Amino acid sequence: MRKTALILSLIMLFSVFLNADIHHNAGKYGYQFLDISTNPVSLALAGRGIQSSSMLASFLHQPSSSTINAHRTIGAGHIIWLADTSCDNLYYSWSNRKNHFGLAFRSLDYGELELRDDNGMLIGHYSPLDIDLLGNYAMRVTPSLYTGINVGIAYEKLDTDSSLGLHSDLGISWLTPIAGTQFDIAIRNLGISSEMDEERTLFAPSLEMDFSKSINYQNADIIFEISSMKAVDENWKAAVSSEIALLEHLLSLRVGYKINYDAENLTAGLGLNWKNLGIDYGWASFSDHLNNVHSFGLSYQF
């Protein structure tokens, strides 16, 4: 009964968000870097990949998901993002299938930008920077139900102005009675922040849902995932993705597609796992004259 009530409550919240219009404060939301793909596995799987066996930092998007498989991992990723910006992340993830503890550091570096006066004269340079430090705890409630929470401190700097915020994510993962299927739902980006240039920077709460199916076919492990997301400042979005693990997970091939995004669509990537070391690459296509995005990552299980 408790499991059913939790899932139905979040589904009802999700339905409200999905049918809601874009909030009137849409232009005032910040901390958008928290929604950038955290590593090459996520990037290659249309920004999701919650149930990928290689996505051990999935707790950043779904707080309860990393509990399900036992592991102890450290990892790092670098993303060559848009317009000469770059994202970096470090994470630690530990699970014994009953509890999960995770830590992550994320940053978005905009590089050096020109500072000009009202007449267009160059008067200097500045380097905007976004940083987030996040902790995760999750637990198994029943053999098929998991819950988790993220709590983080985010910082944004633009020239001489800055903002500091406290944010949180909540998630539930359910191993359904159908073999190899899993349902996840999360509420993300709940938070408060300080003012920047006399105006408070707002977090943009979102509801995110993922449904996955895993199968084994001729010694290949295949995962199909469909996801739907609704942020308060955007229209609904969706994503479909698939990962194929070959040669006893020595090689993983990944592909995804984003739906209803302004400039994003096809994604792809691959991963190599040798002993306890993982090497991953992700690629995402952008339209509207934007550059494609590339990501590289390393992970180690011990």
Side-chain angles (χ1 to χ4, degrees):
M1 179 66 72
R2 180 173 55 178
K3 173 175 67 179
T4 303
L6 282 171
I7 294 173
L8 288 177
S9 296
L10 284 178
I11 290 176
M12 290 175 65
L13 284 172
F14 183 84
S15 300
V16 171
F17 265 66
L18 192 63
N19 293 297
D21 294 329
I22 296 176
H23 197 273
H24 65 277
N25 282 330
K28 297 182 180 180
Y29 289 102
Y31 300 101
Q32 302 291 341
F33 76 104
L34 297 177
D35 295 322
I36 295 177
S37 298
T38 52
N39 56 39
V41 179
S42 175
L43 183 71
L45 294 171
R48 305 302 297 172
I50 301 302
Q51 294 313 312
S52 167
S53 60
S54 302
M55 183 56 176
L56 298 175
S58 64
F59 64 88
L60 290 171
H61 289 295
Q62 169 48 263
S64 57
S65 61
S66 294
T67 319
I68 298 170
N69 298 310
H71 63 272
R72 184 168 60 174
T73 307
I74 58 173
H78 176 72
I79 302 177
I80 304 171
W81 196 238
L82 302 174
D84 298 324
T85 62
S86 63
C87 302
D88 294 286
N89 69 84
L90 299 170
Y91 71 88
Y92 169 80
S93 177
W94 171 87
S95 170
N96 63 359
R97 292 194 177 96
K98 293 182 179 179
N99 300 277
H100 175 267
F101 173 74
L103 288 172
F105 172 81
R106 292 177 284 181
S107 68
L108 175 61
D109 187 351
Y110 294 83
E112 190 175 72
L113 304 180
E114 294 181 348
L115 181 63
R116 298 180 178 272
D117 60 19
D118 295 338
N119 297 319
M121 295 295 293
L122 180 64
I123 58 175
H125 296 82
Y126 65 103
S127 300
L129 180 67
D130 298 335
I131 294 175
D132 181 58
L133 180 63
L134 177 144
N136 167 270
Y137 176 74
M139 61 181 292
R140 185 177 69 189
V141 180
T142 71
S144 61
L145 185 68
Y146 300 78
T147 64
I149 181 171
N150 293 334
V151 176
I153 299 174
Y155 173 78
E156 284 191 337
K157 179 177 75 73
L158 179 63
D159 195 12
T160 59
D161 297 315
S162 64
S163 175
L164 188 67
L166 179 67
H167 65 98
S168 181
D169 313 316
L170 305 172
I172 292 177
S173 297
W174 177 38
L175 306 181
T176 76
I178 304 173
T181 63
Q182 182 172 322
F183 174 78
D184 302 271
I185 188 166
I187 305 174
R188 296 187 58 243
N189 300 330
L190 303 171
I192 57 174
S193 64
S194 62
E195 294 182 352
M196 178 185 289
D197 192 22
E198 299 182 355
E199 185 172 358
R200 189 173 300 278
T201 304
L202 302 176
F203 287 91
S206 66
L207 278 164
E208 303 174 0
M209 181 170 62
D210 303 275
F211 181 81
S212 61
K213 171 67 177 176
S214 61
I215 62 174
N216 182 275
Y217 178 74
Q218 296 185 351
N219 296 322
D221 292 320
I222 306 172
I223 297 177
F224 300 96
E225 187 173 86
I226 181 169
S227 308
S228 186
M229 297 75 67
K230 177 67 177 73
V232 70
D233 61 335
E234 296 179 341
N235 292 315
W236 72 270
K237 296 179 180 179
V240 292
S241 61
S242 180
E243 178 183 63
I244 303 175
L246 306 168
L247 306 174
E248 297 182 350
H249 288 255
L250 178 65
L251 173 66
S252 297
L253 304 177
R254 306 173 181 119
V255 65
Y257 192 84
K258 296 182 176 183
I259 302 169
N260 207 34
Y261 282 71
D262 292 334
E264 305 171 59
N265 41 60
L266 185 64
T267 64
L270 56 85
L272 297 173
N273 292 285
W274 181 70
K275 294 186 177 179
N276 295 330
L277 181 66
I279 303 174
D280 297 289
Y281 167 74
W283 167 88
S285 173
F286 277 71
S287 59
D288 294 341
H289 308 291
L290 297 173
N291 59 279
N292 293 335
V293 170
H294 304 270
S295 179
F296 306 88
L298 292 173
S299 61
Y300 182 75
Q301 296 195 45
F302 55 98

